[in-house]
Amino acid sequence: MAVTGTSAAGSTATSWLDEIPGRLADIERAHLLRRRRVVEPAGGARLLVDGQPMLAFCSNDYLGLASHPALAQAAREATHTFGVGSGGSPLVSGHSAANAALEHDLAAFVQLPRALYFYAGYATNAGIIPALVGDGDAVFSDALNHACLIDGARLSRATIHRYPHADLPALEAALAASPARRKLVISDAVFSMDGDLIDIPALLALCERYDALLLLDDAHGFGVLGPQGRGSLAQAGLTGANAARRVLYMATLGKAAGVAGAFVAGDAALIEWLLQKTRTYIFATAAPALLASALRESLVLIAAADDRRAHLQARIAQLRGGLAALPPPLAWHLLPSHTPVQALVVGSNEAALAAMDSLRAQGLWVPAIRPPTVPAGTARLRIALSAAHTEADVEDLLAALRQHAAERLG
């Protein structure tokens, strides 16, 4: 039965809700409809996907820690002490001893004065940006930033200056022209759909020159880059004694760390300000202590995971070498990246879905990424590598891509 409404004159009219099925059909015709898959771990880099075994190249579990028995054991032990739920927001009763200890460990790990632990990465960026700037202030955002940075900037009501990806001269021009008293530069450190790393020292130099605060989102660098996996800021030599007061370092804990949540670290006064002013922290139930306990164990494993990082780099080199040998008439483009995010741009949404379906038919799961996640015309296969992948796994992927290429070329 159709949902109807009544106009001011009392006549019955079709509701706007009746338009939803047609709008969904429009999304499907544009090859932009997304579907969830039900997954279960099946060992190593393998998953059961809707009941079918798949070799997965879609997970951000970059070090292969998500199923590590030490993390599971830490979580089990924590449930005996703390139970399952936190029961309150961090500023009421949810800030457990485990969460407090994790914040101490996180600050020490990234070699910054203080850290604040959040239940989710999206909530971290969406909340801390409005806590830092507002109406009359200015935010400067890389064109390829993650959605949570973009949404945080919008929620802040500050004036947003969107500069071309990694174009630091354009950023400098925008900073120089801005009359705002408070300026905030926000950027991914490793870009989630391209895999490239921003020039952090150059970015910081601009912020120093124009009295701007820099917020770095290192979701895809934490655990993978830098000495002992301490992240891209540590790789740039800007932690410890070289830490800059005007840098806030944010990273997620559901990727290389293998658990869930996120944190922001930096100058102690800035972190205290965020604790007092971030709505997504103040008004949300705290993450359970069982996750914090697992994360404390994860930091120990990350610090000792040089062998996993070396294995991961070998798989990255193997993949890039193999992709370079694909037939050139395909006009596929592998973006430059030395991180686990390897983006193979194929162009149209339809071509990306066809490639994904071809790989799935061969027992491999590689996601097709389409607008609005990436710019129109740059639909791609986002290949996520992990220390859980073997040399044979990567060769299987290369063979499947070669087969799909041969089919397309006839």
Short mmCIF file of all heavy atoms in Angstrom, two decimals, residues 140-207:
data_model
loop_
_atom_site.label_atom_id
_atom_site.label_comp_id
_atom_site.label_asym_id
_atom_site.label_seq_id
_atom_site.Cartn_x
_atom_site.Cartn_y
_atom_site.Cartn_z
N PHE A 140 41.70 23.50 5.89
CA PHE A 140 42.35 23.26 4.60
C PHE A 140 42.46 21.75 4.43
O PHE A 140 43.16 21.07 5.20
CB PHE A 140 43.72 23.94 4.56
CG PHE A 140 43.64 25.42 4.83
CD1 PHE A 140 43.57 25.89 6.14
CD2 PHE A 140 43.59 26.33 3.79
CE1 PHE A 140 43.48 27.25 6.40
CE2 PHE A 140 43.49 27.69 4.04
CZ PHE A 140 43.43 28.16 5.35
N SER A 141 41.76 21.22 3.42
CA SER A 141 41.57 19.78 3.30
C SER A 141 42.05 19.26 1.95
O SER A 141 41.66 19.78 0.90
CB SER A 141 40.08 19.46 3.48
OG SER A 141 39.82 18.08 3.31
N ASP A 142 42.89 18.22 1.97
CA ASP A 142 43.32 17.57 0.74
C ASP A 142 42.11 16.99 0.01
O ASP A 142 41.19 16.44 0.64
CB ASP A 142 44.32 16.45 1.07
CG ASP A 142 44.99 15.86 -0.15
OD1 ASP A 142 44.31 15.15 -0.92
OD2 ASP A 142 46.20 16.09 -0.35
N ALA A 143 42.12 17.10 -1.31
CA ALA A 143 40.97 16.68 -2.12
C ALA A 143 40.66 15.19 -1.98
O ALA A 143 39.52 14.78 -2.22
CB ALA A 143 41.22 17.02 -3.59
N LEU A 144 41.63 14.38 -1.60
CA LEU A 144 41.40 12.94 -1.50
C LEU A 144 41.30 12.45 -0.06
O LEU A 144 41.44 11.25 0.21
CB LEU A 144 42.50 12.17 -2.24
CG LEU A 144 42.55 12.38 -3.76
CD1 LEU A 144 43.58 11.43 -4.39
CD2 LEU A 144 41.19 12.20 -4.41
N ASN A 145 41.05 13.35 0.87
CA ASN A 145 40.90 12.94 2.26
C ASN A 145 39.75 11.98 2.45
O ASN A 145 38.77 11.97 1.70
CB ASN A 145 40.67 14.17 3.15
CG ASN A 145 41.96 14.85 3.57
OD1 ASN A 145 43.03 14.26 3.51
ND2 ASN A 145 41.85 16.10 4.01
N HIS A 146 39.85 11.18 3.52
CA HIS A 146 38.81 10.23 3.86
C HIS A 146 37.53 10.97 4.25
O HIS A 146 37.55 12.10 4.72
CB HIS A 146 39.27 9.34 5.02
CG HIS A 146 38.35 8.19 5.28
ND1 HIS A 146 37.30 8.27 6.16
CD2 HIS A 146 38.33 6.93 4.77
CE1 HIS A 146 36.65 7.10 6.19
NE2 HIS A 146 37.26 6.28 5.36
N ALA A 147 36.41 10.29 4.09
CA ALA A 147 35.08 10.88 4.35
C ALA A 147 34.96 11.40 5.78
O ALA A 147 34.27 12.41 6.02
CB ALA A 147 33.99 9.86 4.07
N CYS A 148 35.60 10.75 6.75
CA CYS A 148 35.43 11.21 8.13
C CYS A 148 36.10 12.56 8.35
O CYS A 148 35.61 13.39 9.14
CB CYS A 148 35.97 10.17 9.11
SG CYS A 148 37.70 9.74 8.92
N LEU A 149 37.21 12.83 7.66
CA LEU A 149 37.81 14.16 7.72
C LEU A 149 36.92 15.19 7.04
O LEU A 149 36.73 16.31 7.54
CB LEU A 149 39.19 14.14 7.07
CG LEU A 149 40.31 13.41 7.81
CD1 LEU A 149 41.53 13.26 6.92
CD2 LEU A 149 40.68 14.13 9.09
N ILE A 150 36.38 14.82 5.89
CA ILE A 150 35.49 15.73 5.16
C ILE A 150 34.26 16.06 6.00
O ILE A 150 33.87 17.24 6.13
CB ILE A 150 35.08 15.09 3.82
CG1 ILE A 150 36.30 14.93 2.91
CG2 ILE A 150 34.00 15.92 3.13
CD1 ILE A 150 36.05 14.07 1.69
N ASP A 151 33.66 15.06 6.61
CA ASP A 151 32.46 15.29 7.40
C ASP A 151 32.76 16.08 8.66
O ASP A 151 31.96 16.93 9.09
CB ASP A 151 31.78 13.96 7.74
CG ASP A 151 31.11 13.34 6.54
OD1 ASP A 151 31.04 14.00 5.48
OD2 ASP A 151 30.66 12.19 6.65
N GLY A 152 33.91 15.83 9.28
CA GLY A 152 34.30 16.61 10.44
C GLY A 152 34.46 18.08 10.09
O GLY A 152 34.05 18.96 10.86
N ALA A 153 35.05 18.35 8.92
CA ALA A 153 35.20 19.74 8.48
C ALA A 153 33.84 20.39 8.25
O ALA A 153 33.61 21.54 8.65
CB ALA A 153 36.04 19.78 7.20
N ARG A 154 32.91 19.67 7.64
CA ARG A 154 31.58 20.22 7.40
C ARG A 154 30.86 20.50 8.70
O ARG A 154 30.18 21.53 8.85
CB ARG A 154 30.77 19.25 6.54
CG ARG A 154 31.25 19.16 5.09
CD ARG A 154 30.56 18.02 4.37
NE ARG A 154 30.91 17.99 2.96
CZ ARG A 154 30.64 16.96 2.14
NH1 ARG A 154 30.02 15.88 2.63
NH2 ARG A 154 31.00 16.99 0.88
N LEU A 155 30.97 19.59 9.66
CA LEU A 155 30.29 19.77 10.94
C LEU A 155 30.85 20.96 11.72
O LEU A 155 30.16 21.54 12.55
CB LEU A 155 30.42 18.50 11.77
CG LEU A 155 29.58 17.30 11.31
CD1 LEU A 155 30.02 16.04 12.03
CD2 LEU A 155 28.10 17.56 11.53
N SER A 156 32.09 21.31 11.47
CA SER A 156 32.72 22.40 12.22
C SER A 156 32.14 23.77 11.88
O SER A 156 32.27 24.70 12.67
CB SER A 156 34.22 22.41 11.95
OG SER A 156 34.51 22.95 10.66
N ARG A 157 31.55 23.90 10.69
CA ARG A 157 31.03 25.18 10.18
C ARG A 157 32.15 26.19 9.90
O ARG A 157 31.88 27.37 9.68
CB ARG A 157 29.99 25.77 11.12
CG ARG A 157 28.78 24.87 11.34
CD ARG A 157 27.72 25.51 12.19
NE ARG A 157 26.59 24.61 12.38
CZ ARG A 157 25.52 24.89 13.13
NH1 ARG A 157 25.44 26.06 13.74
NH2 ARG A 157 24.54 24.02 13.25
N ALA A 158 33.38 25.74 9.91
CA ALA A 158 34.49 26.60 9.47
C ALA A 158 34.47 26.72 7.95
O ALA A 158 33.84 25.91 7.26
CB ALA A 158 35.82 26.02 9.94
N THR A 159 35.15 27.72 7.43
CA THR A 159 35.30 27.85 5.99
C THR A 159 36.25 26.77 5.50
O THR A 159 37.36 26.63 6.02
CB THR A 159 35.85 29.24 5.63
OG1 THR A 159 34.95 30.24 6.11
CG2 THR A 159 36.01 29.39 4.12
N ILE A 160 35.82 26.00 4.50
CA ILE A 160 36.63 24.88 4.01
C ILE A 160 37.32 25.26 2.71
O ILE A 160 36.69 25.70 1.76
CB ILE A 160 35.74 23.63 3.79
CG1 ILE A 160 35.06 23.22 5.11
CG2 ILE A 160 36.57 22.47 3.24
CD1 ILE A 160 34.03 22.12 4.94
N HIS A 161 38.62 25.07 2.69
CA HIS A 161 39.43 25.27 1.49
C HIS A 161 39.93 23.89 1.05
O HIS A 161 40.75 23.28 1.73
CB HIS A 161 40.62 26.20 1.77
CG HIS A 161 40.22 27.54 2.30
ND1 HIS A 161 39.96 28.62 1.50
CD2 HIS A 161 40.03 27.96 3.59
CE1 HIS A 161 39.63 29.65 2.24
NE2 HIS A 161 39.66 29.29 3.52
N ARG A 162 39.43 23.42 -0.08
CA ARG A 162 39.80 22.09 -0.59
C ARG A 162 40.88 22.28 -1.65
O ARG A 162 40.66 22.88 -2.69
CB ARG A 162 38.56 21.42 -1.20
CG ARG A 162 38.75 19.99 -1.68
CD ARG A 162 37.38 19.44 -2.06
NE ARG A 162 37.44 18.08 -2.55
CZ ARG A 162 37.50 17.74 -3.82
NH1 ARG A 162 37.51 18.70 -4.76
NH2 ARG A 162 37.56 16.47 -4.19
N TYR A 163 42.08 21.77 -1.36
CA TYR A 163 43.18 21.94 -2.31
C TYR A 163 43.45 20.64 -3.06
O TYR A 163 43.17 19.54 -2.56
CB TYR A 163 44.45 22.43 -1.59
CG TYR A 163 45.00 21.53 -0.51
CD1 TYR A 163 45.98 20.56 -0.80
CD2 TYR A 163 44.58 21.65 0.81
CE1 TYR A 163 46.49 19.74 0.19
CE2 TYR A 163 45.10 20.82 1.81
CZ TYR A 163 46.05 19.87 1.50
OH TYR A 163 46.56 19.06 2.48
N PRO A 164 43.99 20.73 -4.30
CA PRO A 164 44.24 19.51 -5.09
C PRO A 164 45.16 18.55 -4.34
O PRO A 164 46.03 18.97 -3.56
CB PRO A 164 44.91 20.04 -6.36
CG PRO A 164 44.47 21.46 -6.46
CD PRO A 164 44.33 21.95 -5.05
N HIS A 165 44.96 17.27 -4.61
CA HIS A 165 45.67 16.23 -3.86
C HIS A 165 47.18 16.46 -3.83
O HIS A 165 47.82 16.55 -4.89
CB HIS A 165 45.37 14.86 -4.47
CG HIS A 165 46.13 13.74 -3.84
ND1 HIS A 165 46.17 13.55 -2.47
CD2 HIS A 165 46.91 12.75 -4.38
CE1 HIS A 165 46.93 12.50 -2.20
NE2 HIS A 165 47.38 12.00 -3.34
N ALA A 166 47.72 16.56 -2.62
CA ALA A 166 49.16 16.66 -2.37
C ALA A 166 49.80 17.88 -3.02
O ALA A 166 51.02 17.93 -3.18
CB ALA A 166 49.88 15.38 -2.81
N ASP A 167 48.99 18.86 -3.38
CA ASP A 167 49.50 20.07 -4.04
C ASP A 167 49.86 21.10 -2.96
O ASP A 167 49.04 21.95 -2.60
CB ASP A 167 48.45 20.62 -5.00
CG ASP A 167 48.97 21.75 -5.88
OD1 ASP A 167 49.97 22.39 -5.49
OD2 ASP A 167 48.37 22.00 -6.94
N LEU A 168 51.08 21.03 -2.47
CA LEU A 168 51.48 21.90 -1.37
C LEU A 168 51.61 23.37 -1.79
O LEU A 168 51.30 24.25 -0.98
CB LEU A 168 52.77 21.38 -0.74
CG LEU A 168 52.66 19.97 -0.11
CD1 LEU A 168 53.90 19.65 0.71
CD2 LEU A 168 51.41 19.83 0.73
N PRO A 169 52.03 23.69 -3.03
CA PRO A 169 51.98 25.10 -3.43
C PRO A 169 50.56 25.68 -3.39
O PRO A 169 50.36 26.83 -2.98
CB PRO A 169 52.55 25.08 -4.85
CG PRO A 169 53.47 23.91 -4.86
CD PRO A 169 52.78 22.89 -4.01
N ALA A 170 49.57 24.88 -3.81
CA ALA A 170 48.18 25.34 -3.74
C ALA A 170 47.74 25.52 -2.30
O ALA A 170 47.03 26.48 -1.96
CB ALA A 170 47.26 24.36 -4.46
N LEU A 171 48.16 24.61 -1.43
CA LEU A 171 47.84 24.75 -0.01
C LEU A 171 48.48 26.01 0.56
O LEU A 171 47.82 26.78 1.29
CB LEU A 171 48.33 23.52 0.77
CG LEU A 171 48.28 23.63 2.29
CD1 LEU A 171 46.85 23.89 2.78
CD2 LEU A 171 48.86 22.38 2.95
N GLU A 172 49.73 26.27 0.21
CA GLU A 172 50.40 27.47 0.72
C GLU A 172 49.67 28.73 0.27
O GLU A 172 49.49 29.68 1.05
CB GLU A 172 51.85 27.52 0.29
CG GLU A 172 52.56 28.77 0.80
CD GLU A 172 54.06 28.75 0.64
OE1 GLU A 172 54.56 27.94 -0.17
OE2 GLU A 172 54.73 29.54 1.33
N ALA A 173 49.26 28.76 -0.98
CA ALA A 173 48.54 29.94 -1.48
C ALA A 173 47.25 30.15 -0.70
O ALA A 173 46.89 31.30 -0.37
CB ALA A 173 48.25 29.77 -2.97
N ALA A 174 46.54 29.07 -0.40
CA ALA A 174 45.30 29.19 0.35
C ALA A 174 45.55 29.64 1.78
O ALA A 174 44.81 30.47 2.33
CB ALA A 174 44.56 27.85 0.34
N LEU A 175 46.60 29.11 2.39
CA LEU A 175 46.94 29.53 3.75
C LEU A 175 47.32 31.01 3.79
O LEU A 175 46.91 31.76 4.68
CB LEU A 175 48.11 28.69 4.28
CG LEU A 175 47.79 27.25 4.70
CD1 LEU A 175 49.07 26.45 4.86
CD2 LEU A 175 46.98 27.23 5.99
N ALA A 176 48.12 31.43 2.81
CA ALA A 176 48.58 32.82 2.77
C ALA A 176 47.42 33.79 2.57
O ALA A 176 47.43 34.91 3.10
CB ALA A 176 49.62 32.99 1.66
N ALA A 177 46.40 33.36 1.82
CA ALA A 177 45.28 34.24 1.50
C ALA A 177 44.21 34.27 2.59
O ALA A 177 43.36 35.16 2.59
CB ALA A 177 44.65 33.81 0.18
N SER A 178 44.26 33.34 3.51
CA SER A 178 43.20 33.24 4.51
C SER A 178 43.38 34.27 5.63
O SER A 178 44.46 34.36 6.23
CB SER A 178 43.17 31.83 5.13
OG SER A 178 42.26 31.78 6.20
N PRO A 179 42.32 35.02 5.96
CA PRO A 179 42.40 35.96 7.07
C PRO A 179 42.05 35.33 8.42
O PRO A 179 42.07 36.02 9.45
CB PRO A 179 41.36 37.01 6.67
CG PRO A 179 40.30 36.22 5.96
CD PRO A 179 41.03 35.13 5.23
N ALA A 180 41.74 34.03 8.43
CA ALA A 180 41.26 33.39 9.66
C ALA A 180 42.34 33.39 10.73
O ALA A 180 43.52 33.18 10.45
CB ALA A 180 40.83 31.95 9.36
N ARG A 181 41.92 33.61 11.96
CA ARG A 181 42.85 33.57 13.09
C ARG A 181 43.27 32.12 13.37
O ARG A 181 44.43 31.84 13.63
CB ARG A 181 42.17 34.18 14.32
CG ARG A 181 42.85 33.89 15.65
CD ARG A 181 44.17 34.60 15.79
NE ARG A 181 44.72 34.41 17.13
CZ ARG A 181 46.03 34.39 17.38
NH1 ARG A 181 46.89 34.55 16.40
NH2 ARG A 181 46.46 34.22 18.61
N ARG A 182 42.30 31.21 13.34
CA ARG A 182 42.58 29.79 13.59
C ARG A 182 42.51 29.02 12.27
O ARG A 182 41.47 29.03 11.60
CB ARG A 182 41.60 29.22 14.61
CG ARG A 182 41.87 29.69 16.04
CD ARG A 182 40.93 29.04 17.03
NE ARG A 182 39.59 29.59 16.92
CZ ARG A 182 39.15 30.65 17.61
NH1 ARG A 182 39.96 31.27 18.45
NH2 ARG A 182 37.91 31.07 17.46
N LYS A 183 43.60 28.36 11.93
CA LYS A 183 43.70 27.58 10.69
C LYS A 183 44.02 26.13 11.05
O LYS A 183 44.91 25.87 11.86
CB LYS A 183 44.79 28.14 9.77
CG LYS A 183 44.62 29.61 9.37
CD LYS A 183 45.77 30.02 8.44
CE LYS A 183 45.65 31.49 8.03
NZ LYS A 183 46.01 32.39 9.14
N LEU A 184 43.32 25.22 10.42
CA LEU A 184 43.53 23.78 10.64
C LEU A 184 43.73 23.10 9.30
O LEU A 184 42.87 23.17 8.42
CB LEU A 184 42.32 23.17 11.36
CG LEU A 184 42.33 21.65 11.54
CD1 LEU A 184 43.47 21.21 12.45
CD2 LEU A 184 40.99 21.17 12.11
N VAL A 185 44.88 22.45 9.12
CA VAL A 185 45.16 21.64 7.93
C VAL A 185 44.87 20.19 8.29
O VAL A 185 45.38 19.68 9.29
CB VAL A 185 46.61 21.80 7.46
CG1 VAL A 185 46.91 20.87 6.28
CG2 VAL A 185 46.89 23.26 7.08
N ILE A 186 44.05 19.53 7.48
CA ILE A 186 43.72 18.12 7.73
C ILE A 186 44.13 17.29 6.52
O ILE A 186 43.90 17.67 5.38
CB ILE A 186 42.22 17.94 8.03
CG1 ILE A 186 41.34 18.47 6.90
CG2 ILE A 186 41.85 18.62 9.34
CD1 ILE A 186 39.84 18.23 7.11
N SER A 187 44.75 16.15 6.79
CA SER A 187 45.21 15.30 5.69
C SER A 187 45.38 13.86 6.14
O SER A 187 45.81 13.59 7.28
CB SER A 187 46.56 15.81 5.16
OG SER A 187 47.03 14.99 4.10
N ASP A 188 45.03 12.95 5.26
CA ASP A 188 45.49 11.58 5.44
C ASP A 188 47.01 11.57 5.39
O ASP A 188 47.61 12.40 4.70
CB ASP A 188 44.96 10.68 4.31
CG ASP A 188 43.49 10.33 4.47
OD1 ASP A 188 42.84 10.82 5.39
OD2 ASP A 188 43.00 9.55 3.63
N ALA A 189 47.62 10.66 6.12
CA ALA A 189 49.05 10.45 5.98
C ALA A 189 49.29 9.47 4.82
O ALA A 189 50.01 9.78 3.87
CB ALA A 189 49.65 9.92 7.27
N VAL A 190 48.66 8.30 4.90
CA VAL A 190 48.58 7.37 3.77
C VAL A 190 47.14 7.43 3.26
O VAL A 190 46.20 7.23 4.03
CB VAL A 190 48.93 5.94 4.20
CG1 VAL A 190 48.71 4.96 3.05
CG2 VAL A 190 50.37 5.86 4.69
N PHE A 191 46.97 7.72 1.99
CA PHE A 191 45.63 7.89 1.44
C PHE A 191 44.99 6.53 1.17
O PHE A 191 45.58 5.67 0.52
CB PHE A 191 45.68 8.78 0.20
CG PHE A 191 45.93 10.22 0.56
CD1 PHE A 191 47.22 10.67 0.75
CD2 PHE A 191 44.88 11.09 0.76
CE1 PHE A 191 47.48 11.98 1.13
CE2 PHE A 191 45.12 12.41 1.14
CZ PHE A 191 46.42 12.85 1.33
N SER A 192 43.77 6.38 1.68
CA SER A 192 43.16 5.06 1.81
C SER A 192 42.81 4.40 0.49
O SER A 192 42.72 3.18 0.42
CB SER A 192 41.89 5.17 2.66
OG SER A 192 40.96 6.05 2.06
N MET A 193 42.59 5.17 -0.57
CA MET A 193 42.20 4.59 -1.86
C MET A 193 43.32 4.66 -2.90
O MET A 193 43.21 4.04 -3.95
CB MET A 193 40.95 5.28 -2.40
CG MET A 193 39.71 5.00 -1.57
SD MET A 193 39.32 3.23 -1.52
CE MET A 193 38.95 3.02 0.22
N ASP A 194 44.38 5.41 -2.63
CA ASP A 194 45.51 5.51 -3.55
C ASP A 194 46.76 4.83 -2.99
O ASP A 194 47.58 4.32 -3.75
CB ASP A 194 45.84 6.98 -3.84
CG ASP A 194 44.80 7.63 -4.76
OD1 ASP A 194 43.61 7.30 -4.60
OD2 ASP A 194 45.18 8.45 -5.60
N GLY A 195 46.92 4.88 -1.67
CA GLY A 195 48.07 4.22 -1.03
C GLY A 195 49.32 5.06 -0.95
O GLY A 195 50.35 4.60 -0.46
N ASP A 196 49.27 6.32 -1.42
CA ASP A 196 50.47 7.16 -1.39
C ASP A 196 50.59 7.88 -0.05
O ASP A 196 49.62 8.04 0.69
CB ASP A 196 50.45 8.17 -2.54
CG ASP A 196 49.22 9.06 -2.53
OD1 ASP A 196 48.14 8.58 -2.11
OD2 ASP A 196 49.32 10.24 -2.92
N LEU A 197 51.80 8.30 0.26
CA LEU A 197 52.15 8.93 1.52
C LEU A 197 52.40 10.41 1.31
O LEU A 197 53.16 10.80 0.42
CB LEU A 197 53.40 8.26 2.12
CG LEU A 197 53.97 8.83 3.41
CD1 LEU A 197 53.00 8.61 4.57
CD2 LEU A 197 55.31 8.16 3.73
N ILE A 198 51.76 11.25 2.13
CA ILE A 198 51.95 12.69 2.02
C ILE A 198 53.35 13.07 2.54
O ILE A 198 53.93 12.36 3.37
CB ILE A 198 50.85 13.45 2.80
CG1 ILE A 198 50.77 14.91 2.36
CG2 ILE A 198 51.09 13.35 4.30
CD1 ILE A 198 50.28 15.11 0.97
N ASP A 199 53.87 14.20 2.06
CA ASP A 199 55.16 14.72 2.52
C ASP A 199 54.92 15.43 3.85
O ASP A 199 54.62 16.63 3.90
CB ASP A 199 55.74 15.67 1.47
CG ASP A 199 57.14 16.15 1.81
OD1 ASP A 199 57.55 16.03 2.98
OD2 ASP A 199 57.82 16.65 0.90
N ILE A 200 55.06 14.70 4.94
CA ILE A 200 54.72 15.25 6.26
C ILE A 200 55.63 16.40 6.67
O ILE A 200 55.14 17.44 7.14
CB ILE A 200 54.70 14.13 7.31
CG1 ILE A 200 53.59 13.13 6.98
CG2 ILE A 200 54.50 14.70 8.72
CD1 ILE A 200 53.57 11.91 7.87
N PRO A 201 56.96 16.30 6.53
CA PRO A 201 57.80 17.45 6.91
C PRO A 201 57.46 18.72 6.15
O PRO A 201 57.43 19.81 6.74
CB PRO A 201 59.22 16.96 6.59
CG PRO A 201 59.14 15.48 6.70
CD PRO A 201 57.78 15.12 6.17
N ALA A 202 57.16 18.60 4.85
CA ALA A 202 56.80 19.79 4.07
C ALA A 202 55.46 20.35 4.51
O ALA A 202 55.26 21.57 4.57
CB ALA A 202 56.77 19.44 2.59
N LEU A 203 54.53 19.47 4.84
CA LEU A 203 53.22 19.90 5.31
C LEU A 203 53.36 20.64 6.64
O LEU A 203 52.76 21.71 6.85
CB LEU A 203 52.32 18.66 5.47
CG LEU A 203 50.81 18.84 5.42
CD1 LEU A 203 50.36 19.49 4.12
CD2 LEU A 203 50.14 17.48 5.58
N LEU A 204 54.17 20.09 7.53
CA LEU A 204 54.39 20.74 8.83
C LEU A 204 55.08 22.08 8.67
O LEU A 204 54.76 23.05 9.37
CB LEU A 204 55.22 19.82 9.73
CG LEU A 204 55.60 20.40 11.10
CD1 LEU A 204 54.36 20.82 11.89
CD2 LEU A 204 56.44 19.40 11.88
N ALA A 205 56.02 22.17 7.74
CA ALA A 205 56.72 23.44 7.51
C ALA A 205 55.73 24.54 7.11
O ALA A 205 55.86 25.69 7.56
CB ALA A 205 57.79 23.27 6.44
N LEU A 206 54.75 24.20 6.29
CA LEU A 206 53.73 25.18 5.91
C LEU A 206 52.90 25.59 7.12
O LEU A 206 52.55 26.77 7.30
CB LEU A 206 52.82 24.62 4.82
CG LEU A 206 53.43 24.49 3.43
CD1 LEU A 206 52.39 23.91 2.46
CD2 LEU A 206 53.92 25.84 2.92
N CYS A 207 52.56 24.63 7.95
CA CYS A 207 51.78 24.94 9.13
C CYS A 207 52.56 25.83 10.10
O CYS A 207 51.99 26.74 10.73
CB CYS A 207 51.34 23.65 9.83
SG CYS A 207 50.14 22.69 8.88
#
